[in-house]
Amino acid sequence: MNFSENIAIAIRNVRSNLLRTILTLLIIAFGIMALVGILTAIDTIIYSMSSNFSSMGANSFSISRTGGGMGRHGRKRGEIISYKQAVEFKDRYEFPARTTISMRGTRLAAVRYKDEKTNPNVRLYGVDEDYFYVKAYELDKGRVFSNNEIENGSPKCIVGSDIVDLLFDNKPEKALDKVISVGTVKYKVIGILKSKGSQMNDSGDRAVYAPLINVKGHYGSANTTYYTEVGLYDAMDMDNATSAAIGLFRNVRGLKLGQEDDFQIFKSDGLIDMLKENTFTIRMATIAIGLITLIGAAIGLMNIMLVSVTERTREIGICKAIGATRENILTQFITESIVISLLGGLVGIFFAIIVGLLISYSMGGSFQIPWAWITLGLVTCTIVGLISGLYPALKAARLDPIESLRYE
């Protein structure tokens, strides 16, 4: 008998014992649904959270000089990152990303508009054209700087939401095109940022952003250090991107082979990494639960196949009497077991995809067909069918044809 004949016989026998086959098939289906469905749900959650973190700037990393004093691990404070070095790095960094240069003018500015004035705790930043994209800041009103304003250092600014609350009665439309004083320097407001809250004691809401050249002219000195930040188009490229950045920045800093880095990379994808690490345990638990369910299904499938061998003893005797070999009988019963297992797996995968779609829809994310987990499910079903059918198939193949023909 060829492969297609074995499949046809297997399907015919499945139909002749439909009820008990369906029960076993459903046990396998639930096991595969638990295995593939939960793994798919975890991937969907990670993908959704990764997208959300990316919108919060979690697909970026920054370069700064090493910390103060001896720092951690006995590292000395690195030399400042000069404006020339920052610009050279930005011009030469060719990884698919956007690179921004910024500086902190002051963190103790008082902002004034007419008779209203803030406390002297507002930060003034000098930024370039890519800053708001890399930091994932969104505008509430107005616009970002034009390239011409960045290049010329125009006295214009974009302000955080706290500044609007304090000086313009929480009405962004009143702030646009108004001239405010940041310390002793006047700026025209062209944009207002949406509130993002505080991060690491650094509130972007209580800040004023002006063109880098402008702030550099007012606050820059020989001791000013500049900050470089890279925003990736794909957060999954983080490791390759940081490796490329380290190599290039060592070259920009003129560090020789063997010299320790005098700068540090800070990656903002730590939450995603932590999420992936934590979900590893969940994945392993899910696989364990799915396998336990499939062990039960394998036992049930083996029982069905043993009953089938008993019921078809005379049929086996006839097949052997007309020339069927042990290998033919063995192949037939193993094929039947694998067919039942794969049918259950296909039903389970169908339900698993529905589960993934529902979770994706509830989280507002996009669903991607989990081909890797589908392949895992089908391979698992094949193994379950093979193991479950092996002993019954061997038992059937060893039956004596004469005794089988006498069986009632």
Side-chain angles (χ1 to χ4, degrees), residues 13-33:
N13 290 323
V14 165
R15 288 176 178 173
S16 64
N17 300 288
L18 196 57
L19 180 59
R20 68 188 182 193
T21 302
I22 287 176
L23 292 176
T24 305
L25 185 148
L26 287 176
I27 296 174
I28 296 173
F30 281 120
I32 293 298
M33 185 181 71

Side-chain angles (χ1 to χ4, degrees), residues 100-158:
T100 180
I101 303 171
S102 62
M103 67 168 287
R104 185 167 56 214
T106 178
R107 65 174 67 187
L108 301 173
V111 182
R112 178 184 288 106
Y113 175 70
K114 293 184 177 180
D115 296 331
E116 301 293 333
K117 182 180 179 182
T118 69
N119 292 326
N121 60 356
V122 176
R123 302 187 181 203
L124 173 65
Y125 293 99
V127 302
D128 64 8
E129 67 278 5
D130 292 315
Y131 183 84
F132 298 107
Y133 171 84
V134 173
K135 300 290 284 186
Y137 286 169
E138 295 182 27
L139 283 177
D140 185 19
K141 297 287 183 181
R143 61 177 178 85
V144 296
F145 302 116
S146 66
N147 289 334
N148 186 56
E149 290 167 342
I150 291 292
E151 291 172 2
N152 296 329
S154 300
K156 297 180 181 179
C157 72
I158 296 171

